[in-house]
Amino acid sequence: MTRRCVLVYRDLPGPQLDRIRREHDVIQADPRREDQRAAFFEALPHVDGMIGSSVRLDAAMLDRAPGLRVVSSISVGVDAYPLDALRDRGIVLCHTPDVLTESVADLLFGMVLATSRRMCEMSSMVRAGRWLHNVGADEYGWDVHGKTLGIVGYGRIGQALARRAALGFGMPVLHHSRRPADSGLPDGKARAVGLDELLECADFIVLVLPLTGQTRGLIGPQAFARMKPGAILINGARGPIVQERALLDALDSGRLRAAGLDVFDVEPLPLDSPLRDHPRILALPHIGSATHETRTAMAEMAVTNLLNVLRGEAPLAAYPLG
Ligand code: NAP
């Protein structure tokens, strides 16, 4: 088998890197690192395959890589890739659905609990030595069980979240996607609704849909105005789906009780971002899939995808480019 050239643009666990090295030559260069940026661009003309994540690839980069046959993303979301340009050049885009579904759903439900029960604020109070009396009404949180959960984007992760909420916490579930989706739950536990009805009726609104031209900025002033006063918003999808200025306004006006954000417009979150230390925002550093087990499984799947395509075999998960 001909050895090909693979550009690895994110850290991979040693055993996964070894799997690639057994069959191909490897160049490691992450363009987000100043000292590796030049090496990344110098490698492009030679590469047959690329594997990584969290780097925005564009058509100009693809133009510099005429031999590129496969881009294997270590993620399920593919918003960082120029889909049309990949399709036009016949490059296969692979991703890692399913293996991260349950871990992301765990985190999102954890954010529902943490925001509603004010876990981070209360923990900070203890750490700062401000727990001097029994807590009173100013410190109380709000119940989660029995409240209505609205899920925007009812795919693999949305449905895994719904199972936790409906079966574990007795929460009625409202869900919204463009096409009708089976709830995957016993009758009466979940209902498909339009976005407006979901925003108006849910106590918790969880975003877990892809970032696309249609969803960029979807949650802005009008969406916040529809939300139930005291609703809690969790963004587990991608930052630009929520208009950050409108989110801050909704928190400050009291429309929104709290927000849990795992994703942001700019990541890592800039130090001067007002979202960073807002008392009613639980801000996490994009850790939806960040467990040892899941990141290992994602890396393994992404390497299998890459190697399969370079061998002329079907990958485990190619993203449909149309
Ligand atoms: P999925 O199975 O493809 O589910 C996506 C859902 O969103 C589908 O039900 C889809 O249904 C719906 N959707 C797409 N466009 C929509 C629109 N314009 N309006 C309403 N619904 C829309 O994907 P998944 O595996 O659940 O992952 C979902 C997203 O979660 C990913 O794209 C990624 O951005 C995010 N994610 C975040 C993390 C993290 O670390 N925070 C980790 C993993 C994934 P229709 O096509 O019928 O509308």
Side-chain angles (χ1 to χ4, degrees):
M1 193 173 57
T2 316
R3 287 182 77 80
R4 307 281 179 190
C5 177
V6 172
L7 176 56
V8 177
Y9 60 93
R10 183 176 181 145
D11 287 344
L12 274 179
Q16 299 309 324
L17 208 49
D18 291 345
R19 284 179 66 207
I20 307 176
R21 283 200 172 112
R22 276 198 285 276
E23 295 184 33
H24 304 292
D25 299 328
V26 168
I27 299 171
Q28 285 179 275
D30 180 343
R32 293 166 302 172
R33 291 185 48 174
E34 206 53 54
D35 57 334
Q36 297 181 11
R37 204 175 153 72
F40 175 88
F41 283 96
E42 280 161 20
L44 289 176
H46 311 290
V47 298
D48 300 283
M50 293 174 67
I51 181 167
S53 67
S54 310
V55 169
R56 188 155 295 284
L57 301 188
D58 58 27
M61 288 178 185
L62 301 185
D63 286 341
R64 295 175 65 143
L68 186 60
R69 289 166 51 189
V70 53
V71 174
S72 183
S73 187
I74 314 170
S75 68
V76 66
V78 294
D79 47 284
Y81 302 95
L83 303 183
D84 292 347
L86 288 164
R87 185 200 54 225
D88 294 348
R89 290 161 178 75
I91 298 168
V92 179
L93 175 63
C94 303
H95 66 150
T96 62
D98 299 315
V99 289
L100 46 61
T101 295
E102 300 297 331
S103 301
V104 180
D106 284 349
L107 185 86
L108 297 182
F109 202 77
M111 292 171 84
V112 166
L113 289 168
T115 47
S116 203
R117 298 301 303 269
R118 302 172 64 189
M119 290 188 201
C120 293
E121 265 177 279
M122 294 301 112
S123 175
S124 303
M125 185 180 88
V126 176
R127 279 168 180 261
R130 288 185 284 105
W131 182 26
L132 304 173
H133 311 283
N134 288 348
V135 299
D138 285 349
E139 285 86 26
Y140 294 166
W142 294 270
D143 281 337
V144 171
H145 62 271
K147 296 276 174 63
T148 298
L149 175 67
I151 303 175
V152 185
Y154 202 59
R156 292 170 287 250
I157 301 170
Q159 290 176 36
L161 175 66
R163 289 193 291 277
R164 286 156 175 75
L167 305 179
F169 286 75
M171 299 173 81
V173 170
L174 301 176
H175 56 90
H176 170 71
S177 296
R178 289 167 305 175
R179 286 164 294 202
D182 178 26
S183 81
L185 289 168
D187 282 353
K189 298 220 176 277
R191 194 159 62 84
V193 294
L195 181 60
D196 287 351
E197 184 179 349
L198 185 150
L199 297 175
E200 285 160 12
C201 299
D203 298 297
F204 298 92
I205 296 159
V206 179
L207 308 177
V208 65
L209 70 174
L211 173 62
T212 64
Q214 255 183 7
T215 64
R216 184 177 292 275
L218 182 71
I219 305 300
Q222 289 175 349
F224 284 113
R226 281 195 183 276
M227 290 179 193
K228 240 177 159 171
I232 290 181
L233 176 74
I234 307 293
N235 187 2
R238 288 291 183 265
I241 295 174
V242 175
Q243 297 180 33
E244 290 185 349
R245 184 64 258 166
L247 167 70
L248 287 164
D249 290 346
L251 284 165
D252 293 340
S253 71
R255 164 71 55 168
L256 212 56
R257 179 165 287 156
L261 308 174
D262 187 40
V263 288
F264 300 88
D265 269 355
V266 179
E267 295 179 8
L269 188 62
L271 287 179
D272 63 355
S273 168
L275 302 177
R276 192 171 63 87
D277 56 1
H278 192 290
R280 285 185 288 131
I281 291 180
L282 165 64
L284 296 178
H286 201 146
I287 56 168
S289 64
T291 66
H292 289 285
E293 299 92 333
T294 293
R295 285 290 169 88
T296 300
M298 289 166 70
E300 191 175 342
M301 181 172 184
V303 170
T304 301
N305 282 333
L306 173 97
L307 294 178
N308 282 11
V309 176
L310 291 178
R311 285 185 201 128
E313 295 168 9
L316 299 174
Y319 185 82
L321 292 171

